[in-house]
Amino acid sequence: MMAGLSSPEQVGEENIRLAGRDIPVRWRRSARARRVSLRIDPRSPAVVVTLPPRVGREAGLALLRTHAIWITTRLDRLPAESPWHDGGQVLLDGHPHTIRHCPDGRRGVWIEGDTVMVSGEAPFLRRRLAAFLRQEAGRRLGARMALLADQSGLRPRRLTVKDTSSRWGSCTSDGSVMLSWRLLMAPAEIQHYVIAHELAHLRHLNHGPDFWMLVTSLTPHRHTAEAWLRRHGPALLRAS
């Protein structure tokens, strides 16, 4: 979660041979990047290489080759993709809910106890469920952010909910906060930490000592949440 970072510009995709395997690599360029960096995008899955302005592709290739074993190991450790289907499960606030296809239903998507009911034709189940979850995330995460904002006096200019590939949240210099809708699948205390983290950026647009002191005053869940997201975050990003 980084404060005020603009989305890098995508500059191309290709397969590159690393450690004896063809690895999908997505090249991006960022005006704010100060050095070449790479990360694993668990949703693709692929390696994303970010280049600063005026830094050539060779620098990125050198970094890829240096970290070839790390890259292949991380890709191999990603959880298996778990497509949503009739009889499968989806998490809501950390609790598993069974997915039930109701082809003759007339209510779109709705929740009954620990079951998520999805009407319509089977080929559209995943798309309809994803749209519902994103809407539900906006409602639930928005309410939880409003509550913590009222308690702390830290009120964002606006909140947007997006489907991101790496960040769980972000805050820009104009006071806008973004949250990943996939946080809806995480337990409430994990959501609380991410929301507190981004609200703290409204006062400190950095990760200095004063920022972390404010985060600690807003939520008791920092260390638990960071460990949980490291362990379970990739699975949330691959759920679809």
Side-chain angles (χ1 to χ4, degrees):
M1 292 167 290
M2 299 189 69
L5 288 188
S6 59
S7 298
E9 177 187 357
Q10 183 168 320
V11 295
E13 299 183 27
E14 63 180 313
N15 287 331
I16 294 177
R17 196 77 174 171
L18 295 173
R21 295 166 49 179
D22 288 332
I23 303 296
V25 175
R26 187 155 65 247
W27 297 90
R28 301 173 74 86
R29 191 172 296 281
S30 172
R32 297 199 176 191
R34 294 293 177 264
R35 58 183 177 83
V36 181
S37 64
L38 60 83
R39 64 175 175 82
I40 303 297
D41 177 2
R43 292 176 56 192
S44 307
V47 184
V48 181
V49 180
T50 301
L51 302 173
R54 297 181 296 279
V55 173
R57 182 172 176 275
E58 285 301 320
L61 287 172
L63 191 64
L64 286 168
R65 293 177 185 128
T66 300
H67 292 82
I69 300 301
W70 177 85
I71 290 167
T72 54
T73 300
R74 287 289 302 275
L75 289 172
D76 289 341
R77 288 179 179 174
L78 286 176
E81 191 174 11
S82 53
W84 296 320
H85 58 87
D86 182 32
Q89 289 190 333
V90 62
L91 295 174
L92 295 175
D93 294 336
H95 302 296
H97 286 61
T98 301
I99 302 167
R100 289 292 179 223
H101 181 218
C102 304
D104 298 325
R106 293 291 183 270
R107 295 172 55 187
V109 182
W110 69 99
I111 300 172
E112 292 186 3
D114 290 334
T115 304
V116 180
M117 318 291 286
V118 185
S119 64
E121 298 179 17
F124 304 109
L125 182 148
R126 292 171 66 185
R127 187 172 71 185
R128 300 193 79 180
L129 179 55
F132 169 80
L133 293 175
R134 184 163 178 166
Q135 183 179 41
E136 187 71 3
R139 185 180 70 81
R140 296 193 192 191
L141 297 177
R144 289 160 187 168
M145 174 165 281
L147 178 61
L148 190 52
D150 287 343
Q151 293 172 347
S152 64
L154 298 166
R155 296 181 175 84
R157 181 178 179 184
R158 63 175 172 270
L159 168 66
T160 58
V161 176
K162 297 183 179 180
D163 192 6
T164 60
S165 61
S166 59
R167 292 182 294 178
W168 298 106
S170 64
C171 178
T172 62
S173 57
D174 71 353
S176 299
V177 169
M178 182 280 297
L179 296 175
S180 168
W181 75 258
R182 292 172 181 273
L183 279 172
L184 173 68
M185 296 185 279
E189 61 268 24
I190 311 303
Q191 299 173 17
H192 192 270
Y193 164 68
V194 175
I195 290 170
H197 185 118
E198 302 311 332
L199 288 180
H201 276 313
L202 294 173
R203 185 171 296 167
H204 304 289
L205 208 60
N206 55 55
H207 289 100
D210 290 341
F211 167 80
W212 289 116
M213 187 178 299
L214 178 56
V215 170
T216 300
S217 73
L218 295 175
T219 179
H221 305 302
R222 175 190 171 187
H223 298 296
T224 299
E226 289 177 343
W228 192 96
L229 288 170
R230 281 194 299 270
R231 182 174 181 180
H232 301 287
L236 301 189
L237 292 172
R238 288 183 65 75
S240 63

